[in-house]
Amino acid sequence: MSSAGHVFDMIRRMKENKSELHSQKPGFRDNIKIKESRRTFLRFKKVPNAELTNIKEKIRFKIHRENRRVLIVAVSVAVLFALAYAYLLFLW
């Protein structure tokens, strides 16, 4: 029970922070209005199905190429670590 004072202090600080968050201060309300006025709505372009499949194939090709690159780097790093370990193990 020696930490009860610390726990109560933490709870009190959390309540105070929450009350400040929902306060009626003028600056707080002004910031909310500014953020709401900055909202932008997304407008998506209409794309024909043939072009859409072409775009999807390009994206899949890029992902496949990136995955292959990551695999090559991972395997080469693993081989380098294995060679370094073998060098240290057998030559020392």
Side-chain angles (χ1 to χ4, degrees), residues 2-39:
S2 64
S3 65
H6 297 290
V7 173
F8 289 128
D9 184 48
M10 179 184 61
I11 293 170
R12 181 187 52 80
R13 281 186 281 132
M14 287 175 56
K15 285 181 182 177
E16 288 175 1
N17 289 340
K18 192 160 192 108
S19 67
E20 286 182 15
L21 180 66
H22 299 293
S23 68
Q24 297 296 326
K25 293 179 182 177
F28 180 74
R29 292 293 167 200
D30 292 341
N31 287 336
I32 289 177
K33 289 177 186 174
I34 290 171
K35 287 180 183 177
E36 287 178 355
S37 66
R38 287 189 201 164
R39 282 192 182 158

Side-chain angles (χ1 to χ4, degrees), residues 55-86:
I55 292 170
K56 286 181 181 180
E57 287 177 11
K58 286 181 182 179
I59 292 172
R60 287 183 183 126
F61 179 73
K62 285 181 182 179
I63 291 172
H64 180 71
R65 188 172 52 195
E66 182 65 26
N67 287 344
R68 182 181 293 164
R69 184 178 299 138
V70 168
L71 180 67
I72 290 171
V73 169
V75 168
S76 62
V77 168
V79 167
L80 286 175
F81 275 121
L83 290 174
Y85 180 72

Side-chain angles (χ1 to χ4, degrees), residues 35-46:
K35 287 180 183 177
E36 287 178 355
S37 66
R38 287 189 201 164
R39 282 192 182 158
T40 58
F41 294 98
L42 299 176
R43 294 185 186 130
F44 296 104
K45 294 194 301 187
K46 301 292 182 186

